[in-house]
Amino acid sequence: MPGPNHTSAVLLLYFAQIINSGLALGSVYGLMAIGFALIYNSSRLINFAQGELLLLGGLGLFSLTQAMELNPFLALAAASMWGFLLGHFLYATTLGLAMSQSPLRQLMLTVAASLVWQGLAILVWGKKPLLLAQLLPMPEVRLGSLYFGRDTVTAMVLALASGAALSFFLRHTRRGRAIRAVSMNPLAARLQGINPKASHALAFALAGVLACMAGMAVGPQTMLRYDMGLGLGLKGFVAATIGGYSSLSRVFLGGLGLGLLEAALVLLVSAELKEALSFSLLIGLMLLMPMTSHEERA
């Protein structure tokens, strides 16, 4: 029979694998969650096309890598510009067209945009999974018994750097402070000369940049598939709901937590339960949120 040392070694190996896999995908979920929170706080809209921003962002980068060789700095610049354009175009075809419409109609426009963009991905790139090259190669890292692969390190670096850059932008630039002012009180911001529509458009564009960074991180991990946008977008929605939307750092931690939870389920229980538990968690949170809000008001 295996001794206690063998059992401890196996448990430690499982733990290391959970941390490595969970942080790799959790970083992607965290980036998606920040995009959800950024748009929601700016415009009070849940953007269900966030996953398709990741999909088209990653596929656009894939096409660019087939046409030319990209060094890391050029890849980051290309991803930022492409994501910015995608996000701005999404705003122009959803909230920009329905600013005076009901929230439900605005929400359905993002759902429709998600379906249209998925169809566009099929027409242009087909249904075959595509492997995005590692555009920001990072070294493997070992910390004692913990091992972090290149994909994990790259995803973490992209996520943390993107989050830090966004936080700096929102706190220390005029445009960033305008987004925060609109999120706090649109009427007061308008009286101060801030254009809420411009802030909404910029929030969408920044969410597009975050989605492209997530595409850079997930493309080498799981390959790019035409149907991956919805699933990853919903995971970002779950992570943002866990974090509560009010703090970018909390929603990012919600993404990391969700990634670690899924990795533990895949390794210790069953991969089939991963999706069911993630969305069961979302349902539970949605049921508890009205109660929490009511208690806070009381």
Side-chain angles (χ1 to χ4, degrees), residues 128-272:
K128 182 180 178 181
L130 301 172
L131 179 64
L132 179 64
Q134 186 58 268
L135 299 176
L136 190 67
M138 302 296 292
E140 301 172 352
V141 175
R142 288 188 180 274
L143 297 175
S145 300
L146 295 179
Y147 166 77
F148 302 97
R150 292 180 179 179
D151 289 343
T152 301
V153 176
T154 299
M156 287 294 294
V157 168
L158 277 171
L160 293 175
S162 299
L166 178 63
S167 179
F168 180 86
F169 177 82
L170 293 176
R171 293 178 181 274
H172 300 290
T173 68
R174 183 178 179 182
R175 287 290 190 91
R177 289 193 292 267
I179 292 177
R180 295 178 65 196
V182 170
S183 70
M184 293 175 186
N185 191 323
L187 179 58
R190 191 189 297 272
L191 293 175
Q192 293 296 320
I194 296 173
N195 183 352
K197 292 183 179 180
S199 294
H200 297 332
L202 183 56
F204 269 79
L206 293 173
V209 174
L210 293 172
C212 263
M213 296 301 167
M216 282 183 64
V218 78
Q221 294 183 45
T222 64
M223 304 183 72
L224 299 168
R225 305 182 311 277
Y226 74 94
D227 59 348
M228 71 184 300
L230 176 61
L232 287 174
L234 289 176
K235 296 297 177 60
F237 178 48
V238 173
T241 305
I242 293 172
Y245 290 94
S246 60
S247 165
L248 298 184
S249 59
R250 281 208 297 267
V251 298
F252 179 71
L253 290 176
L256 291 183
L258 181 61
L260 291 169
L261 177 62
E262 287 191 352
L265 285 173
V266 169
L267 191 61
L268 302 177
V269 186
S270 169
E272 287 73 19

Side-chain angles (χ1 to χ4, degrees), residues 21-57:
S21 301
L23 290 181
L25 274 181
S27 298
V28 176
Y29 297 161
L31 282 172
M32 298 298 287
I34 293 175
F36 270 101
L38 184 62
I39 290 177
Y40 177 77
N41 285 316
S42 171
S43 60
R44 295 300 182 266
L45 173 67
I46 299 294
N47 174 30
F48 280 113
Q50 187 70 17
E52 273 56 47
L53 284 175
L54 180 153
L55 174 63
L56 290 189

